[in-house]
Amino acid sequence: MKLRVDGLSVRFRIPGAVVHAVTDARFELREGRCLAVVGESGCGKSVMAHALLGLLPGNVTVTGHAWLDSLDLVAAPEKVLARQVRGRLIGLVPQSPAAHLTPVRTARAQLAETLRELGRAETPDALAERAGLRPQDLDRYPHQLSGGMAQRVANALALAGDPPLILADEPTTGLDRPLVDATMAELRRLCDEGRAVLIITHDLRAAEQVADDIAVMYASRIVERSEAGAFFAGPRHPYAKGLLDALPSRRFEPIPGQPPELTRLPDGCAFRPRCPQATPACEDRPDMNEKGVACHHA
C-alpha cells in the first residue's frame, strides 16, 4: 500500500472571502512507515487529512490528487469513499475521541456496530484486546471512560476494518504526558506491524517518539519534508528551526509574530514577515527544491 499526495489544494468559500486551507501539498507514505505532519494550529494539517477521506463541508473545492495505490481519493465518488475507503482502507483516529463516541451507547455496542457494518467476523472483545482494552472496559459509557480508555476505544474503532493506513488527527490533544507516550507507542506498534501511519500533530515531542518522516506545514503549504532523524538533528527551513527552538527542551524561544490569515496570504514566502533570514528574494514564492525545502535560503 502506498499513499501519494500530488498537488492537493483545498479552498473554502465563505461570505466575502476564500480560505486557502491547503496549497499544493505533495508527499508519499508507504506501509511500515509513519509520517508526522507538524505545524502550528490553523496551518491546514487537519483539513488536509480530512480531504483524504472526503470529510469536508459542501462549501469546499478540492483539487489535485491523492492516490491510494490506484484509487484517486480526490476524484472518488462518495459511494466509493463510504463503502470502500473509510474504515476499510483508511482507519481514522479522531481528535478528542470521547467527543466522537455516542454518549448513550456503551463502547461494546459501538464496536459491535462498526464490526457489523464493515462485515467483520471479529468480536468486540478480540478487537478491544488488540487495542489494549479489557473486556469489562467495553461495558462502560463514554463518560465513564478515562482519557486513555477513550483513546484505546478510538484505536479499536480505527482497527475494526483492518485498514492498511491509519490516520491519527491530533491524537494527543488533552492527554497528559504518560497517556501521550502510551498513545504514541501504540501508533508505533501499528506501524511496526506493517501499516502506514499518518499523524497530524502540533506536538513535536510526540512526533519525535514515533515518526520515520516529517512534513512541516506553514500557512497551508508544506515547507519542509525530511526523515525524522535528520529533521530533529538540524531542520533546514527557518520556520521548522523556529518550531524546534520553541521547545522547552531546546532554546524555549517563541517564533515572533503571528501566522497570516488563510484568507489573506501574502505574496511570496508566507513566512517572510517572521523570518530572520528574509531578503528581497523572498518576495517571490519559493518552490520545494530537490532536497525537500521550500526556502530561498535553506
Side-chain angles (χ1 to χ4, degrees):
M1 198 288 305
K2 175 178 156 182
L3 174 67
R4 180 168 60 88
V5 174
D6 186 9
L8 181 67
S9 295
V10 180
R11 301 286 183 264
F12 292 95
R13 294 196 174 275
I14 59 176
V18 175
V19 179
H20 298 259
V22 180
T23 303
D24 197 29
R26 300 173 189 271
F27 62 86
E28 290 188 359
L29 176 59
R30 296 179 180 273
E31 59 188 13
R33 292 190 72 82
C34 174
L35 170 66
V37 181
V38 303
E40 293 168 290
S41 296
C43 67
K45 305 185 302 296
S46 292
V47 170
M48 182 175 67
H50 290 178
L52 300 178
L53 289 165
L55 297 176
L56 294 175
N59 64 330
V60 68
T61 300
V62 183
T63 57
H65 304 280
W67 297 99
L68 191 59
D69 287 340
S70 60
L71 174 64
D72 187 354
L73 300 173
V74 173
E78 171 60 23
K79 182 181 293 186
V80 171
L81 293 172
R83 296 183 179 179
Q84 298 180 28
V85 176
R86 298 181 196 129
R88 293 177 171 85
L89 294 177
I90 303 178
L92 175 65
V93 179
Q95 185 176 165
S96 303
H100 285 77
L101 297 173
T102 303
V104 295
R105 303 183 66 197
T106 64
R108 181 185 302 280
Q110 296 182 59
L111 286 176
E113 180 184 29
T114 300
L115 289 166
R116 184 171 59 252
E117 290 297 321
L118 293 173
R120 303 284 295 181
E122 190 172 15
T123 66
D125 285 3
L127 181 59
E129 184 178 0
R130 284 204 285 149
L133 288 163
R134 302 169 302 173
Q136 56 266 38
D137 295 332
L138 298 185
D139 296 319
R140 302 186 182 194
Y141 290 89
H143 73 277
Q144 297 173 316
L145 298 172
S146 67
M149 286 182 181
Q151 184 67 55
R152 292 187 181 96
V153 172
N155 291 348
L157 289 167
L159 290 172
D162 199 25
L165 171 61
I166 299 294
L167 198 165
D169 183 17
E170 298 284 6
T172 62
T173 298
L175 302 183
D176 58 26
R177 185 48 58 178
L179 285 178
V180 169
D181 294 342
T183 298
M184 290 297 103
E186 174 65 15
L187 291 171
R188 183 68 245 181
R189 183 185 67 80
L190 296 176
C191 190
D192 293 340
E193 288 179 351
R195 290 178 173 84
V197 177
L198 176 61
I199 298 176
I200 306 299
T201 185
H202 61 269
D203 188 338
L204 288 168
R205 179 177 166 184
E208 188 174 14
Q209 290 177 253
V210 68
D212 298 298
D213 304 288
I214 300 289
V216 182
M217 282 193 78
Y218 182 76
S220 84
R221 292 183 178 275
I222 294 177
V223 297
E224 180 171 344
R225 296 192 306 261
S226 176
E227 288 192 355
F231 173 78
F232 287 102
R236 295 163 294 169
H237 194 283
Y239 173 66
K241 183 178 184 299
L243 284 180
L244 288 184
D245 285 345
L247 293 175
S249 59
R250 302 215 176 189
R251 298 177 64 180
F252 205 26
E253 294 181 358
I255 302 173
Q258 297 292 327
E261 296 180 15
L262 296 184
T263 55
R264 294 187 296 177
L265 292 178
D267 295 330
C269 175
F271 189 58
R272 183 175 80 251
R274 308 173 71 188
C275 181
Q277 300 180 32
T279 68
C282 303
E283 294 177 7
D284 294 326
R285 190 181 72 199
D287 294 324
M288 185 75 72
N289 63 28
E290 67 278 1
K291 296 183 180 179
V293 189
C295 178
H296 293 297
H297 308 295

